[in-house]
Amino acid sequence: MSRCWPPRRPRRGRRRAGLAAVLAATTLLGLAGCTDAPAEPIRLDIATGSRAGVYYVFGQAFATIVNRELPQVRAEVVVTTASAENVELVGSGRAQLGFTQADILPRNGNEVVAVARVYDDLLHLVTRSDASILRLEDLRGHRVSVGASGSGTEVTANRLLDVAGLAHKPDDPQPVRLAYLNLDASAEALRNGEIDAFFFSGGPPVRAVEQLVAEMPVRLVDLEVWTEPLRQRHSEVYVARDIPATAYGIEPLSTVANPNYLVVGPSVPEDLVYELTRLLMQHRNELGIAHPAAGRMNLQSAIATAPLPLHPGAARYYRSVKP
């Protein structure tokens, strides 16, 4: 009979090599019911994003479920700059799970595989109501945050500026003046008048945007018209989606959206990923209480993870519940 998983958590300084050895040498047989667990469970780092973003809220809620249901695993969230950094962390083995936008994946190759498509990110362009920014083109000459360097927001926002002809040119008399701030810093800078607008890609309602709406008059700019140009020049993952009035209590609008995936390193054991996928799907209502975007998952959309393949453990779970 195999011993309970895992034998020992590696030292933090040797996590990548040590964790790979542990994962390769052990299985998750009897994970949920093991009573012979070691005192020190294995660490499961979940790469998320800013504390004010959806990834962090989703990740925290999922970590709570994992820790409650799988006592041999100790899940913790990691604050990051989001998508691009998350893929790098998971691909290199420095985190085991992470959230990412689909549109950053082609430039990162297939270093990671998918657990599920979890929800769609909607690109927010937030400005003050008294600013003269009614359309994307009105950003010319203004100070705009495009998200933290290494974030999915940065990728999508810069692609949008490119297709709109607003990308920086040396001879442009009124360039868009870019700042690279995370969501928390972007909201604070808009609040203080240090920038005129900011982009953020996330599932509505985004907490930081909700707080701004409650504190000051703000406007979200409709971006739907740019969906097709983005699809033609950059990626077919982009689609148009509505931000309803119920999200922020302001005028409804349409914008650019792209899928979000929960990804995992390909060397993480199949049995563990099976259990994580099971918890993700079976506890959707609980996750939805933490954030409405998390509650929108369903079995039909979860498997739509192109261009990433599903991890074998995730694929096995979806086959087991297929009608």
Side-chain angles (χ1 to χ4, degrees):
M1 182 179 296
S2 61
R3 63 187 295 183
C4 290
W5 188 78
R8 182 178 297 274
R9 178 166 61 89
R11 292 182 181 177
R12 193 173 187 89
R14 298 180 179 177
R15 183 179 302 164
R16 182 179 178 187
L19 179 60
V22 170
L23 296 180
T26 59
T27 70
L28 219 59
L29 295 173
L31 177 65
C34 178
T35 59
D36 188 27
E40 193 175 15
I42 195 154
R43 189 183 187 107
L44 187 74
D45 284 340
I46 306 173
T48 59
S50 161
R51 283 186 172 86
V54 182
Y55 287 169
Y56 183 84
V57 176
F58 194 149
Q60 282 278 36
F62 190 51
T64 298
I65 293 167
V66 171
N67 290 333
R68 184 184 69 225
E69 302 293 331
L70 304 179
Q72 293 77 28
V73 178
R74 178 55 54 195
E76 295 185 13
V77 299
V78 179
V79 176
T80 70
T81 56
S83 294
E85 183 181 359
N86 293 350
V87 170
E88 195 278 327
L89 288 172
V90 174
S92 66
R94 288 178 288 159
Q96 289 69 59
L97 285 175
F99 295 92
T100 182
Q101 293 178 185
D103 62 348
I104 71 104
L105 290 168
R107 71 177 191 167
N108 285 284
N110 287 326
E111 304 162 329
V112 298
V113 290
V115 174
R117 174 176 174 169
V118 287
Y119 64 92
D120 287 353
D121 259 350
L122 276 62
L123 187 62
H124 295 60
L125 175 53
V126 185
T127 184
R128 295 187 307 277
S129 293
D130 59 359
S132 58
I133 301 172
L134 303 177
R135 306 173 303 155
L136 180 67
E137 300 93 317
D138 295 334
L139 292 179
R140 192 175 299 280
H142 288 282
R143 301 162 296 175
V144 181
S145 173
V146 292
S149 296
S151 66
T153 296
E154 180 201 9
V155 172
T156 310
N158 277 318
R159 286 179 173 181
L160 184 61
L161 294 175
D162 172 51
V163 298
L166 298 174
H168 178 71
K169 300 180 182 65
D171 59 347
D172 192 337
Q174 282 190 305
V176 179
R177 291 173 283 163
L178 301 184
Y180 294 85
L181 307 174
N182 66 23
L183 175 58
D184 303 311
S186 293
E188 186 64 19
L190 186 71
R191 194 178 281 115
N192 296 336
E194 297 165 3
I195 60 173
D196 303 302
F198 69 85
F199 288 97
F200 181 71
S201 188
V206 174
R207 183 180 300 170
V209 178
E210 281 185 306
Q211 292 172 344
L212 279 174
V213 170
E215 295 171 12
M216 58 187 288
V218 299
R219 175 188 302 118
L220 271 65
V221 177
D222 195 299
L223 300 172
E224 180 184 14
V225 68
W226 299 103
T227 305
E228 191 57 34
L230 278 168
R231 288 175 58 86
Q232 291 180 4
R233 186 174 299 184
H234 290 289
S235 174
E236 292 187 355
V237 303
Y238 296 114
V239 293
R241 292 282 186 269
D242 293 337
I243 298 179
T246 54
Y248 302 110
I250 57 180
E251 287 295 315
L253 70 151
S254 295
T255 189
V256 176
N258 73 87
N260 270 294
Y261 301 151
L262 182 62
V263 297
V264 63
S267 64
V268 177
E270 182 176 325
D271 287 329
L272 174 55
V273 178
Y274 178 96
E275 291 295 327
L276 294 173
T277 310
R278 178 181 66 81
L279 294 178
L280 188 71
M281 292 292 110
Q282 291 183 356
H283 292 269
R284 282 170 287 176
N285 289 341
E286 184 176 345
L287 291 167
I289 293 171
H291 196 284
R296 298 183 190 120
M297 292 183 294
N298 62 73
L299 290 168
Q300 290 71 37
S301 63
I303 62 175
T305 59
L308 290 184
L310 286 166
H311 187 284
R316 179 158 63 90
Y317 173 77
Y318 295 125
R319 287 195 301 270
S320 75
V321 294
K322 185 176 180 180

